[in-house]
Coordinates of all heavy atoms in Angstrom, one line a residue:
M13 N 6.0 -19.3 15.5 CA 5.3 -18.0 15.8 C 3.8 -18.2 15.4 O 3.5 -18.8 14.4 CB 5.9 -16.9 15.1 CG 5.2 -15.6 15.3 SD 5.9 -14.0 14.8 CE 6.9 -14.4 13.4
M14 N 3.0 -17.7 16.2 CA 1.5 -17.8 15.9 C 1.2 -16.9 14.7 O 1.8 -15.9 14.5 CB 0.7 -17.4 17.1 CG 0.8 -18.4 18.3 SD -0.1 -17.8 19.7 CE -1.7 -17.7 19.0
V15 N 0.3 -17.4 13.9 CA -0.1 -16.7 12.7 C -0.8 -15.4 13.0 O -0.6 -14.4 12.3 CB -0.9 -17.6 11.8 CG1 -1.4 -16.9 10.6 CG2 -0.2 -18.8 11.4
W16 N -1.5 -15.4 14.1 CA -2.3 -14.1 14.4 C -1.3 -13.0 14.9 O -1.8 -11.9 14.9 CB -3.3 -14.4 15.5 CG -4.3 -15.3 14.9 CD1 -4.5 -16.7 15.2 CD2 -5.3 -15.0 13.9 NE1 -5.5 -17.2 14.5 CE2 -6.0 -16.2 13.6 CE3 -5.6 -13.9 13.2 CZ2 -7.1 -16.2 12.7 CZ3 -6.6 -13.9 12.3 CH2 -7.4 -15.1 12.0
M17 N -0.1 -13.4 15.2 CA 0.8 -12.3 15.5 C 1.3 -11.6 14.3 O 1.8 -10.5 14.4 CB 2.0 -12.9 16.3 CG 1.7 -13.5 17.6 SD 3.1 -14.2 18.5 CE 3.9 -12.7 19.0
L18 N 1.1 -12.2 13.1 CA 1.4 -11.5 11.9 C 0.3 -10.6 11.4 O 0.5 -9.9 10.4 CB 1.7 -12.5 10.8 CG 2.9 -13.4 11.0 CD1 3.0 -14.5 10.0 CD2 4.2 -12.6 11.0
A19 N -0.8 -10.5 12.1 CA -1.9 -9.7 11.6 C -1.5 -8.2 11.5 O -1.9 -7.6 10.6 CB -3.1 -9.9 12.6
P20 N -0.8 -7.7 12.5 CA -0.4 -6.2 12.3 C 0.4 -6.0 11.0 O 0.3 -4.9 10.4 CB 0.4 -5.9 13.5 CG 0.0 -6.9 14.6 CD -0.4 -8.1 13.8
I21 N 1.2 -7.0 10.6 CA 2.1 -6.8 9.4 C 1.2 -6.8 8.2 O 1.4 -6.0 7.3 CB 3.1 -7.9 9.4 CG1 4.1 -7.7 10.5 CG2 3.9 -7.8 8.1 CD1 5.1 -8.8 10.7
Y22 N 0.2 -7.7 8.1 CA -0.6 -7.9 6.9 C -1.8 -7.0 6.9 O -2.4 -6.9 5.8 CB -1.0 -9.3 6.7 CG 0.2 -10.2 6.4 CD1 0.7 -11.1 7.4 CD2 0.9 -10.1 5.2 CE1 1.8 -11.9 7.1 CE2 2.0 -10.9 4.9 CZ 2.4 -11.8 5.9 OH 3.5 -12.5 5.6
L23 N -2.2 -6.5 8.0 CA -3.4 -5.6 8.0 C -3.2 -4.2 8.4 O -3.7 -3.3 7.8 CB -4.4 -6.3 9.0 CG -4.9 -7.7 8.7 CD1 -5.8 -8.2 9.8 CD2 -5.5 -7.8 7.3
L24 N -2.4 -3.9 9.4 CA -2.2 -2.6 9.9 C -1.1 -1.8 9.2 O -1.2 -0.6 8.9 CB -2.0 -2.6 11.4 CG -3.1 -3.2 12.3 CD1 -2.7 -3.2 13.7 CD2 -4.4 -2.4 12.0
L25 N 0.0 -2.5 8.9 CA 1.1 -1.9 8.2 C 0.8 -1.4 6.8 O 1.1 -0.2 6.5 CB 2.3 -2.8 8.2 CG 3.6 -2.2 7.7 CD1 4.0 -1.0 8.5 CD2 4.7 -3.2 7.7
P26 N 0.0 -2.1 6.0 CA -0.4 -1.5 4.7 C -1.3 -0.3 4.9 O -1.1 0.7 4.1 CB -1.2 -2.7 4.1 CG -0.7 -3.9 4.7 CD -0.4 -3.5 6.1
L27 N -2.1 -0.3 5.9 CA -3.0 0.9 6.1 C -2.1 2.1 6.5 O -2.3 3.2 6.0 CB -4.0 0.7 7.2 CG -5.2 -0.2 6.8 CD1 -6.1 -0.5 8.0 CD2 -6.0 0.5 5.7
A28 N -1.1 1.9 7.3 CA -0.2 2.9 7.7 C 0.6 3.5 6.5 O 0.8 4.7 6.4 CB 0.7 2.5 8.8
L29 N 1.1 2.5 5.7 CA 1.9 3.0 4.5 C 1.0 3.8 3.5 O 1.5 4.8 3.0 CB 2.5 1.7 3.8 CG 3.6 1.1 4.5 CD1 4.0 -0.2 3.8 CD2 4.8 2.0 4.6
L30 N -0.2 3.3 3.3 CA -1.1 4.0 2.4 C -1.5 5.4 3.0 O -1.5 6.4 2.2 CB -2.3 3.2 2.1 CG -2.1 2.0 1.2 CD1 -3.4 1.2 1.1 CD2 -1.7 2.4 -0.2
F31 N -1.7 5.5 4.2 CA -2.0 6.8 4.9 C -0.9 7.7 4.8 O -1.0 8.9 4.5 CB -2.5 6.5 6.3 CG -2.9 7.8 7.0 CD1 -4.2 8.3 6.7 CD2 -2.1 8.5 7.9 CE1 -4.6 9.5 7.3 CE2 -2.5 9.6 8.5 CZ -3.7 10.1 8.2
N32 N 0.3 7.2 5.0 CA 1.6 8.0 4.9 C 1.8 8.5 3.5 O 2.1 9.7 3.3 CB 2.8 7.2 5.4 CG 4.0 8.0 5.4 OD1 4.0 9.2 5.8 ND2 5.1 7.4 5.1
L33 N 1.6 7.6 2.5 CA 1.7 8.0 1.1 C 0.7 9.1 0.8 O 1.0 10.0 0.0 CB 1.6 6.8 0.3 CG 1.8 7.0 -1.2 CD1 3.2 7.3 -1.5 CD2 1.4 5.7 -2.0
W34 N -0.5 9.0 1.3 CA -1.6 9.9 0.9 C -1.4 11.3 1.6 O -1.6 12.3 1.0 CB -2.9 9.3 1.3 CG -4.1 10.1 0.8 CD1 -4.2 11.0 -0.2 CD2 -5.4 10.0 1.4 NE1 -5.5 11.5 -0.3 CE2 -6.2 10.8 0.7 CE3 -5.9 9.2 2.4 CZ2 -7.6 11.0 1.0 CZ3 -7.3 9.3 2.7 CH2 -8.1 10.2 2.0
K35 N -1.0 11.3 2.9 CA -1.1 12.5 3.6 C 0.2 13.3 3.7 O 0.3 14.5 4.1 CB -1.5 12.3 5.1 CG -3.0 11.9 5.1 CD -3.8 13.0 4.7 CE -5.3 12.7 4.8 NZ -6.2 13.8 4.4
T36 N 1.4 12.7 3.3 CA 2.6 13.4 3.4 C 2.8 14.4 2.3 O 2.5 14.0 1.1 CB 3.8 12.3 3.4 OG1 3.6 11.4 4.5 CG2 5.1 13.0 3.6
D37 N 3.3 15.5 2.6 CA 3.6 16.5 1.6 C 5.1 16.4 1.2 O 6.0 16.8 2.0 CB 3.3 17.9 2.1 CG 3.3 19.0 1.0 OD1 3.2 18.6 -0.2 OD2 3.5 20.2 1.3
Y38 N 5.4 15.9 0.1 CA 6.8 15.5 -0.3 C 7.5 16.8 -0.8 O 6.9 17.6 -1.5 CB 6.8 14.4 -1.3 CG 6.2 13.2 -0.8 CD1 4.9 12.8 -1.0 CD2 7.0 12.4 0.1 CE1 4.4 11.6 -0.5 CE2 6.5 11.2 0.6 CZ 5.2 10.8 0.3 OH 4.7 9.7 0.8
A39 N 8.8 16.9 -0.5 CA 9.6 18.0 -0.8 C 10.0 18.0 -2.3 O 10.1 19.0 -2.9 CB 10.8 18.1 0.0
G40 N 10.1 16.8 -2.9 CA 10.5 16.7 -4.2 C 10.0 15.5 -4.9 O 9.4 14.6 -4.3
R41 N 10.2 15.4 -6.2 CA 9.7 14.3 -7.0 C 10.5 13.0 -6.6 O 9.8 11.9 -6.6 CB 10.0 14.6 -8.5 CG 9.1 13.8 -9.4 CD 9.5 14.2 -10.8 NE 8.9 15.4 -11.2 CZ 8.8 15.9 -12.4 NH1 9.4 15.3 -13.4 NH2 8.3 17.1 -12.7
K42 N 11.8 13.0 -6.4 CA 12.5 11.8 -6.0 C 12.0 11.2 -4.8 O 11.9 10.0 -4.7 CB 14.0 12.1 -5.9 CG 14.7 12.5 -7.2 CD 16.1 12.8 -7.0 CE 16.7 13.2 -8.3 NZ 18.1 13.6 -8.1
L43 N 11.8 12.0 -3.8 CA 11.3 11.5 -2.5 C 9.9 10.8 -2.7 O 9.6 9.8 -2.1 CB 11.2 12.6 -1.4 CG 10.9 12.2 0.0 CD1 11.9 11.2 0.5 CD2 10.8 13.4 0.9
L44 N 9.0 11.4 -3.5 CA 7.7 10.9 -3.7 C 7.8 9.5 -4.5 O 7.2 8.6 -4.1 CB 6.9 11.8 -4.5 CG 5.5 11.3 -5.1 CD1 4.6 10.9 -3.9 CD2 4.9 12.3 -6.0
V45 N 8.7 9.5 -5.4 CA 8.9 8.2 -6.2 C 9.4 7.1 -5.3 O 9.0 6.0 -5.4 CB 9.7 8.5 -7.5 CG1 10.1 7.2 -8.1 CG2 9.0 9.4 -8.4
L46 N 10.4 7.4 -4.5 CA 11.0 6.4 -3.6 C 9.9 5.9 -2.6 O 9.9 4.7 -2.3 CB 12.2 7.0 -2.8 CG 13.4 7.2 -3.6 CD1 14.5 7.9 -2.8 CD2 13.9 5.8 -4.1
E47 N 9.1 6.8 -2.0 CA 8.1 6.4 -1.1 C 7.0 5.5 -1.8 O 6.6 4.5 -1.3 CB 7.5 7.6 -0.5 CG 6.5 7.3 0.6 CD 7.2 6.9 1.9 OE1 8.3 7.4 2.1 OE2 6.5 6.2 2.7
W48 N 6.7 5.9 -3.0 CA 5.7 5.2 -3.8 C 6.2 3.8 -4.2 O 5.5 2.8 -4.1 CB 5.4 6.0 -5.1 CG 4.3 5.4 -5.9 CD1 2.9 5.5 -5.7 CD2 4.4 4.6 -7.0 NE1 2.3 4.8 -6.6 CE2 3.1 4.2 -7.5 CE3 5.5 4.1 -7.7 CZ2 2.9 3.4 -8.6 CZ3 5.3 3.3 -8.8 CH2 4.0 3.0 -9.2
L49 N 7.5 3.7 -4.5 CA 8.1 2.4 -4.9 C 8.2 1.5 -3.6 O 8.0 0.3 -3.7 CB 9.5 2.6 -5.5 CG 9.5 3.1 -6.9 CD1 10.9 3.3 -7.4 CD2 8.8 2.0 -7.8
A50 N 8.5 2.1 -2.5 CA 8.6 1.3 -1.3 C 7.2 0.7 -0.9 O 7.1 -0.4 -0.5 CB 9.1 2.1 -0.1
C51 N 6.2 1.5 -1.1 CA 4.8 1.1 -0.8 C 4.4 0.0 -1.8 O 3.8 -1.0 -1.5 CB 3.9 2.3 -0.8 SG 2.2 2.0 -0.2
L52 N 4.7 0.2 -3.1 CA 4.4 -0.7 -4.1 C 5.1 -2.1 -3.9 O 4.5 -3.1 -4.0 CB 4.9 -0.2 -5.5 CG 4.7 -1.2 -6.7 CD1 3.2 -1.4 -6.9 CD2 5.4 -0.6 -7.9
M53 N 6.4 -2.1 -3.4 CA 7.1 -3.3 -3.2 C 6.4 -4.1 -2.0 O 6.3 -5.3 -2.0 CB 8.5 -3.0 -2.9 CG 9.3 -2.7 -4.2 SD 11.1 -2.6 -4.0 CE 11.2 -1.2 -2.9
F54 N 6.1 -3.3 -1.0 CA 5.5 -4.0 0.2 C 4.1 -4.5 -0.2 O 3.7 -5.7 0.2 CB 5.4 -3.1 1.4 CG 4.9 -3.8 2.6 CD1 5.7 -4.6 3.3 CD2 3.6 -3.6 3.0 CE1 5.2 -5.3 4.4 CE2 3.1 -4.3 4.2 CZ 3.9 -5.1 4.9
M55 N 3.3 -3.8 -0.9 CA 2.0 -4.3 -1.3 C 2.1 -5.5 -2.2 O 1.3 -6.4 -2.1 CB 1.2 -3.2 -2.1 CG 0.8 -2.0 -1.2 SD -0.3 -2.5 0.0 CE -0.3 -1.0 1.0
S56 N 3.1 -5.5 -3.1 CA 3.3 -6.7 -3.9 C 3.8 -7.9 -3.1 O 3.3 -9.0 -3.3 CB 4.4 -6.4 -5.0 OG 4.1 -5.4 -5.8
Y57 N 4.6 -7.6 -2.1 CA 5.0 -8.7 -1.2 C 3.9 -9.4 -0.5 O 3.7 -10.6 -0.5 CB 6.1 -8.2 -0.2 CG 6.4 -9.2 0.9 CD1 7.2 -10.3 0.7 CD2 5.8 -8.9 2.2 CE1 7.4 -11.2 1.7 CE2 6.1 -9.8 3.2 CZ 6.9 -10.9 2.9 OH 7.1 -11.8 4.0
I58 N 3.0 -8.5 0.1 CA 1.9 -9.1 0.9 C 0.9 -9.7 0.0 O 0.1 -10.6 0.4 CB 1.3 -8.2 1.9 CG1 0.7 -7.0 1.2 CG2 2.3 -7.7 2.9 CD1 -0.2 -6.1 2.2
F59 N 0.7 -9.2 -1.2 CA -0.2 -9.8 -2.2 C 0.2 -11.2 -2.6 O -0.7 -12.1 -2.6 CB -0.4 -8.9 -3.4 CG -1.4 -9.3 -4.4 CD1 -2.8 -9.2 -4.1 CD2 -1.0 -10.0 -5.5 CE1 -3.7 -9.6 -5.0 CE2 -2.0 -10.5 -6.4 CZ -3.3 -10.3 -6.2
F60 N 1.4 -11.4 -2.9 CA 1.9 -12.6 -3.5 C 2.3 -13.6 -2.4 O 2.1 -14.8 -2.6 CB 3.0 -12.5 -4.4 CG 2.6 -11.8 -5.7 CD1 3.1 -10.6 -6.1 CD2 1.7 -12.4 -6.6 CE1 2.7 -9.9 -7.2 CE2 1.3 -11.8 -7.7 CZ 1.8 -10.6 -8.1
L61 N 2.8 -13.2 -1.3 CA 3.4 -14.1 -0.3 C 2.6 -14.1 1.0 O 3.0 -14.8 2.0 CB 4.9 -13.7 0.0 CG 5.8 -13.8 -1.2 CD1 7.2 -13.4 -0.9 CD2 5.8 -15.2 -1.8
G62 N 1.6 -13.3 1.2 CA 0.9 -13.3 2.4 C 0.1 -14.6 2.7 O -0.4 -15.2 1.7
P63 N -0.1 -15.0 3.9 CA -0.9 -16.2 4.2 C -2.4 -15.9 4.2 O -3.1 -15.8 5.3 CB -0.4 -16.6 5.6 CG -0.1 -15.3 6.3 CD 0.5 -14.4 5.1
W64 N -3.0 -15.7 3.1 CA -4.4 -15.2 3.0 C -5.4 -16.3 3.3 O -6.6 -16.0 3.5 CB -4.6 -14.5 1.6 CG -3.8 -13.3 1.5 CD1 -2.7 -13.2 0.6 CD2 -3.9 -12.1 2.2 NE1 -2.2 -12.0 0.8 CE2 -2.8 -11.3 1.8 CE3 -4.7 -11.7 3.3 CZ2 -2.6 -10.0 2.3 CZ3 -4.5 -10.4 3.8 CH2 -3.5 -9.6 3.3
A65 N -5.0 -17.5 3.3 CA -5.9 -18.6 3.6 C -6.4 -18.5 5.1 O -7.4 -19.0 5.4 CB -5.3 -19.9 3.3
I66 N -5.5 -17.9 5.9 CA -5.9 -17.8 7.3 C -6.7 -16.6 7.6 O -7.7 -16.6 8.4 CB -4.5 -17.7 8.1 CG1 -3.8 -19.0 7.9 CG2 -4.8 -17.4 9.6 CD1 -2.4 -18.9 8.4
Y67 N -6.5 -15.4 7.0 CA -7.2 -14.2 7.3 C -8.5 -14.2 6.5 O -9.6 -14.5 6.9 CB -6.4 -13.0 7.0 CG -5.1 -13.0 7.9 CD1 -3.9 -13.1 7.3 CD2 -5.2 -12.8 9.3 CE1 -2.8 -13.1 8.1 CE2 -4.1 -12.8 10.1 CZ -2.9 -12.9 9.5 OH -1.8 -12.9 10.2
N68 N -8.4 -13.8 5.2 CA -9.5 -13.7 4.3 C -9.0 -13.6 2.9 O -8.3 -12.6 2.6 CB -10.4 -12.5 4.7 CG -11.7 -12.6 3.9 OD1 -11.9 -13.3 3.0 ND2 -12.6 -11.7 4.2
H69 N -9.3 -14.5 2.1 CA -8.7 -14.5 0.7 C -9.1 -13.3 0.0 O -8.3 -12.7 -0.8 CB -9.1 -15.8 0.0 CG -8.5 -15.9 -1.4 ND1 -7.1 -16.1 -1.5 CD2 -9.0 -15.7 -2.6 CE1 -6.9 -16.1 -2.8 NE2 -8.0 -15.9 -3.5
Y70 N -10.3 -12.8 0.2 CA -10.8 -11.6 -0.6 C -10.2 -10.3 -0.1 O -10.1 -9.3 -0.8 CB -12.3 -11.5 -0.5 CG -12.9 -12.7 -1.2 CD1 -13.6 -13.7 -0.4 CD2 -12.9 -12.9 -2.5 CE1 -14.1 -14.8 -1.0 CE2 -13.4 -14.0 -3.2 CZ -14.0 -14.9 -2.4 OH -14.6 -16.0 -3.0
L71 N -9.7 -10.3 1.1 CA -8.9 -9.1 1.6 C -7.7 -8.9 0.9 O -7.2 -7.8 0.8 CB -8.6 -9.3 3.1 CG -8.0 -8.2 3.9 CD1 -8.9 -7.0 3.9 CD2 -7.6 -8.6 5.3
R72 N -7.1 -9.9 0.3 CA -5.9 -9.8 -0.5 C -6.1 -8.8 -1.7 O -5.2 -8.1 -2.0 CB -5.6 -11.2 -1.1 CG -4.6 -11.3 -2.1 CD -4.5 -12.7 -2.6 NE -3.3 -12.9 -3.4 CZ -2.9 -14.0 -3.9 NH1 -3.6 -15.1 -3.7 NH2 -1.8 -14.1 -4.6
W73 N -7.3 -8.8 -2.3 CA -7.5 -7.9 -3.4 C -7.8 -6.5 -3.0 O -7.9 -5.6 -3.8 CB -8.7 -8.4 -4.3 CG -8.3 -9.7 -4.9 CD1 -8.6 -11.0 -4.4 CD2 -7.5 -9.9 -6.0 NE1 -8.1 -12.0 -5.2 CE2 -7.4 -11.3 -6.2 CE3 -6.9 -9.1 -6.9 CZ2 -6.7 -11.9 -7.3 CZ3 -6.2 -9.6 -8.0 CH2 -6.1 -11.0 -8.1
L74 N -8.1 -6.2 -1.7 CA -8.3 -4.9 -1.2 C -7.1 -4.0 -1.4 O -7.2 -2.8 -1.7 CB -8.8 -4.9 0.2 CG -9.0 -3.6 0.9 CD1 -10.2 -2.9 0.4 CD2 -9.1 -3.8 2.4
W75 N -5.9 -4.6 -1.1 CA -4.7 -3.8 -1.1 C -4.3 -3.2 -2.4 O -3.9 -2.0 -2.5 CB -3.5 -4.6 -0.4 CG -3.8 -5.0 1.0 CD1 -3.8 -6.2 1.5 CD2 -4.3 -4.1 2.1 NE1 -4.2 -6.2 2.8 CE2 -4.5 -4.9 3.2 CE3 -4.5 -2.8 2.2 CZ2 -4.9 -4.4 4.4 CZ3 -4.9 -2.3 3.4 CH2 -5.1 -3.1 4.5
P76 N -4.3 -4.0 -3.5 CA -4.0 -3.4 -4.8 C -5.0 -2.3 -5.2 O -4.6 -1.3 -5.8 CB -4.0 -4.5 -5.8 CG -3.9 -5.8 -5.0 CD -4.4 -5.4 -3.6
V77 N -6.3 -2.5 -4.9 CA -7.3 -1.5 -5.2 C -7.0 -0.2 -4.4 O -7.0 0.9 -5.0 CB -8.7 -2.1 -5.0 CG1 -9.7 -1.0 -5.2 CG2 -9.0 -3.2 -6.0
L78 N -6.8 -0.3 -3.2 CA -6.5 0.8 -2.3 C -5.3 1.5 -2.8 O -5.2 2.8 -2.8 CB -6.5 0.5 -0.9 CG -7.8 0.3 -0.1 CD1 -7.5 -0.2 1.3 CD2 -8.6 1.5 -0.2
F79 N -4.2 0.7 -3.1 CA -3.0 1.3 -3.6 C -3.2 2.1 -4.9 O -2.6 3.2 -5.0 CB -1.9 0.2 -3.8 CG -0.6 0.8 -4.3 CD1 0.2 1.5 -3.4 CD2 -0.2 0.6 -5.6 CE1 1.4 2.0 -3.9 CE2 1.0 1.1 -6.0 CZ 1.8 1.8 -5.2
L80 N -4.0 1.6 -5.8 CA -4.2 2.3 -7.0 C -5.0 3.6 -6.8 O -4.7 4.7 -7.4 CB -4.9 1.4 -8.0 CG -4.1 0.3 -8.6 CD1 -5.0 -0.6 -9.5 CD2 -2.9 0.9 -9.4
V81 N -6.0 3.6 -5.9 CA -6.8 4.8 -5.6 C -5.9 5.8 -4.9 O -5.9 7.0 -5.3 CB -8.0 4.4 -4.7 CG1 -8.7 5.6 -4.1 CG2 -9.0 3.5 -5.5
V82 N -5.1 5.4 -3.9 CA -4.3 6.4 -3.3 C -3.2 6.9 -4.2 O -2.9 8.1 -4.2 CB -3.6 5.7 -2.0 CG1 -2.5 6.6 -1.5 CG2 -4.6 5.5 -0.9
S83 N -2.7 6.1 -5.1 CA -1.7 6.5 -6.1 C -2.3 7.6 -7.0 O -1.6 8.6 -7.4 CB -1.1 5.4 -6.9 OG -0.4 4.5 -6.0
F84 N -3.5 7.3 -7.4 CA -4.2 8.3 -8.3 C -4.3 9.7 -7.7 O -3.9 10.7 -8.3 CB -5.6 7.8 -8.7 CG -6.4 8.7 -9.5 CD1 -6.1 8.9 -10.8 CD2 -7.4 9.4 -8.9 CE1 -6.8 9.8 -11.6 CE2 -8.2 10.3 -9.6 CZ -7.9 10.5 -11.0
F85 N -4.7 9.7 -6.4 CA -4.8 11.0 -5.8 C -3.5 11.7 -5.5 O -3.4 12.9 -5.5 CB -5.7 10.9 -4.5 CG -7.2 10.7 -4.9 CD1 -7.8 9.5 -4.6 CD2 -7.9 11.7 -5.5 CE1 -9.1 9.3 -4.9 CE2 -9.2 11.5 -5.8 CZ -9.8 10.3 -5.5
V86 N -2.5 10.8 -5.2 CA -1.2 11.4 -4.9 C -0.6 12.0 -6.1 O 0.0 13.1 -6.1 CB -0.3 10.3 -4.3 CG1 1.2 10.7 -4.3 CG2 -0.7 10.0 -2.9
W87 N -0.7 11.3 -7.2 CA 0.0 11.7 -8.5 C -0.8 13.0 -9.0 O -0.2 13.8 -9.7 CB 0.0 10.7 -9.6 CG 0.9 9.5 -9.2 CD1 0.5 8.2 -8.9 CD2 2.3 9.5 -9.1 NE1 1.6 7.5 -8.7 CE2 2.7 8.2 -8.8 CE3 3.3 10.5 -9.3 CZ2 4.0 7.9 -8.6 CZ3 4.6 10.2 -9.1 CH2 5.0 8.9 -8.8
R88 N -2.1 13.1 -8.8 CA -2.8 14.3 -9.2 C -2.4 15.5 -8.4 O -2.6 16.6 -8.9 CB -4.3 14.1 -9.0 CG -4.9 13.3 -10.1 CD -6.4 13.3 -10.0 NE -7.0 14.6 -10.1 CZ -8.2 14.9 -9.7 NH1 -9.0 14.0 -9.2 NH2 -8.6 16.1 -9.7
R89 N -2.0 15.3 -7.2 CA -1.6 16.5 -6.4 C -0.3 17.2 -6.8 O -0.1 18.3 -6.6 CB -1.4 15.9 -4.9 CG -1.5 17.0 -3.9 CD -1.5 16.4 -2.5 NE -0.9 15.2 -2.4 CZ -0.8 14.5 -1.3 NH1 -1.3 15.0 -0.2 NH2 -0.2 13.3 -1.2
Y90 N 0.5 16.5 -7.6 CA 1.8 17.0 -8.0 C 1.7 17.4 -9.5 O 1.5 16.5 -10.3 CB 2.9 16.0 -7.7 CG 3.2 15.9 -6.2 CD1 2.5 15.0 -5.5 CD2 4.0 16.8 -5.6 CE1 2.7 14.9 -4.1 CE2 4.2 16.8 -4.2 CZ 3.5 15.8 -3.5 OH 3.7 15.7 -2.1
P91 N 2.0 18.6 -9.8 CA 1.8 19.0 -11.2 C 2.8 18.5 -12.2 O 2.6 18.4 -13.4 CB 1.9 20.6 -11.2 CG 2.6 20.9 -9.9 CD 2.3 19.7 -9.0
G92 N 4.0 18.0 -11.7 CA 5.0 17.5 -12.6 C 4.6 16.1 -13.1 O 5.3 15.7 -14.1
F93 N 3.7 15.5 -12.6 CA 3.3 14.1 -13.0 C 2.0 14.1 -13.8 O 1.6 13.0 -14.2 CB 3.1 13.2 -11.8 CG 4.4 12.9 -11.1 CD1 4.6 13.5 -9.8 CD2 5.4 12.2 -11.7 CE1 5.8 13.2 -9.2 CE2 6.6 12.0 -11.0 CZ 6.8 12.5 -9.8
R94 N 1.4 15.2 -14.1 CA 0.2 15.2 -14.9 C 0.4 15.0 -16.3 O 1.3 15.2 -16.9 CB -0.6 16.5 -14.6 CG -1.2 16.5 -13.2 CD -2.0 17.7 -13.1 NE -2.3 17.8 -11.6 CZ -2.8 18.9 -11.1 NH1 -3.1 19.9 -11.8 NH2 -3.0 18.9 -9.8

């Protein structure tokens, strides 16, 4: 498989996951934690195992920073986590 076919997985899917985490209004704490953990696991996977030599090595550090920023705003929105 061509490496450029993996671009949507390593570039677009993290953006979609972060946008979903940020904009979704969760019904309960358990659902929020499960969604947050799923996003964390995928971000960890692409950070450690992604082929960053092909795309851009510095783009690798963008995802943890964006994840922390989105997590901060998501956790502030729910009073049970303050």
Side-chain angles (χ1 to χ4, degrees):
M13 179 166 33
M14 292 179 55
V15 177
W16 294 108
M17 294 179 74
L18 295 174
I21 295 173
Y22 292 108
L23 301 175
L24 299 178
L25 188 58
L27 286 175
L29 286 173
L30 287 173
F31 184 77
N32 184 38
L33 184 65
W34 186 22
K35 290 296 183 180
T36 303
D37 191 21
Y38 296 99
R41 200 182 282 188
K42 288 180 186 176
L43 188 59
L44 171 64
V45 169
L46 285 174
E47 187 76 27
W48 186 81
L49 284 174
C51 192
L52 174 67
M53 287 188 295
F54 185 75
M55 293 295 171
S56 300
Y57 168 75
I58 64 170
F59 181 78
F60 291 116
L61 299 176
W64 295 112
I66 295 166
Y67 300 113
N68 187 353
H69 183 70
Y70 297 109
L71 183 65
R72 172 184 191 178
W73 295 97
L74 176 72
W75 300 125
V77 170
L78 281 178
F79 179 73
L80 289 175
V81 169
V82 168
S83 295
F84 174 74
F85 287 113
V86 167
W87 293 111
R88 277 189 59 196
R89 198 169 30 178
Y90 291 92
F93 292 112
R94 288 185 191 168

